[in-house]
Amino acid sequence: MGGGLHGKVLEVLGQEIAEGTHAPGNVLRIDELEDRFGISRSVAREVVRTLASIRLVVGRKRVGIVVRPREEWNSFDPMLIRWRLAADRAGELKTLAELRTAVEPVAAAVAADRAADDHVARLVALSERMVATSRAGDLDAFMDADVEFHRLILTASGNEMFAQLHEVVEELLRWRAGHGLMPVHPRPVAVRLHCEIAECIRASDRVRAEWAMRELVAEALEGTLSGLDS
């Protein structure tokens, strides 16, 4: 295995844990990782430290590296989200859709009350950029604007816990685009709803901002599932 050994081994082991190849309670040993991947002890330990930071494993004296129960994993970690999407796409999409439905509409409503002027101006500018890039078929630029749009709404809510969920939303948005589940020209209803959300926040219309975001999250899920079916 050439350069980026840590990242490559981490992806393999993380994916295996997420899909159940290494079930909770299973023991991973540093020397076995060295032999399997042809890596040094320092690289193996760094991989284990990263897995431990996501709470996938825990080191136990005289036992080894033990895979934790699933309920102890840090489900908000972007890497784990990616691995779980690969292992159980339908289940993870459902979980993420439920999370977004619970949080983003409320964040949009609160942002309508709390958003600073610079946040409002940026949201409107981003919605206009999404209109332009969708018409041009520039999906990369559209996705960059989309990711920033949702991050900004979570931030503009003024709720620090909401704001920290932006990585979760970004991982899902970029996963969808990376797996060909976004059309080159995004659906007009999705573009319209982004514009409506921005305008509602500018108008301090918290009720409509919340419902427009709820419609947008539902549209995104429907579009993703339609893409998977096709």
Side-chain angles (χ1 to χ4, degrees):
M1 298 173 70
L5 284 173
H6 171 270
K8 291 178 180 179
V9 176
L10 179 63
E11 284 292 319
V12 172
L13 287 177
Q15 184 64 62
E16 289 179 347
I17 293 172
E19 67 189 13
T21 301
H22 304 292
N26 281 9
V27 176
L28 305 176
R29 303 188 187 281
I30 294 292
D31 56 347
E32 293 175 354
L33 297 180
E34 292 176 48
D35 292 341
R36 176 184 175 188
F37 295 104
I39 55 178
S40 66
R41 177 150 298 206
S42 62
V43 171
R45 284 176 171 167
E46 184 59 32
V47 169
V48 168
R49 277 194 289 270
T50 303
L51 292 173
S53 72
I54 311 174
R55 299 183 59 80
L56 293 182
V57 301
V58 61
R60 292 181 180 160
K61 289 183 179 180
R62 296 185 294 276
V63 176
I65 312 304
V66 181
V67 178
R68 286 176 176 265
R70 294 178 68 90
E71 59 268 21
E72 296 179 4
W73 298 354
N74 178 10
S75 298
F76 295 101
D77 186 276
M79 286 189 293
L80 180 54
I81 289 171
R82 184 171 66 250
W83 296 331
R84 292 178 76 160
L85 280 167
D88 179 15
R89 186 163 51 186
E92 187 68 359
L93 283 173
K94 179 176 179 290
T95 296
L96 292 168
E98 290 173 348
L99 176 66
R100 293 188 68 190
T101 300
V103 173
E104 288 195 84
V106 176
V110 179
D113 288 336
R114 300 176 180 172
D117 290 344
D118 59 332
H119 285 160
V120 173
R122 184 58 182 157
L123 283 171
V124 173
L126 286 167
S127 67
E128 293 172 349
R129 178 169 173 75
M130 293 172 76
V131 171
T133 54
S134 66
R135 288 174 178 168
D138 188 345
L139 186 55
D140 288 341
F142 180 92
M143 287 307 307
D144 287 342
D146 193 18
V147 165
E148 186 178 351
F149 184 92
H150 288 274
R151 179 194 63 77
L152 191 55
I153 285 179
L154 292 168
T155 300
S157 72
N159 184 306
E160 293 178 354
M161 289 189 174
F162 286 177
Q164 290 190 13
L165 292 174
H166 77 90
E167 290 184 333
V168 175
V169 176
E170 177 174 357
E171 186 63 39
L172 176 58
L173 293 175
R174 294 202 183 279
W175 176 88
R176 182 185 178 194
H179 285 74
L181 301 175
M182 279 283 292
V184 174
H185 296 277
R187 299 203 292 187
V189 63
V191 179
R192 175 184 61 77
L193 286 168
H194 282 90
C195 294
E196 184 172 350
I197 292 165
E199 289 298 329
C200 289
I201 291 175
R202 178 159 66 176
S204 299
D205 185 345
R206 61 175 293 137
V207 173
R208 187 54 200 159
E210 178 175 350
W211 279 104
M213 179 61 82
R214 198 172 299 280
E215 290 178 36
L216 179 59
V217 172
E219 187 283 330
L221 178 61
E222 191 277 329
T224 300
L225 294 178
S226 295
L228 291 175
D229 289 340
S230 62

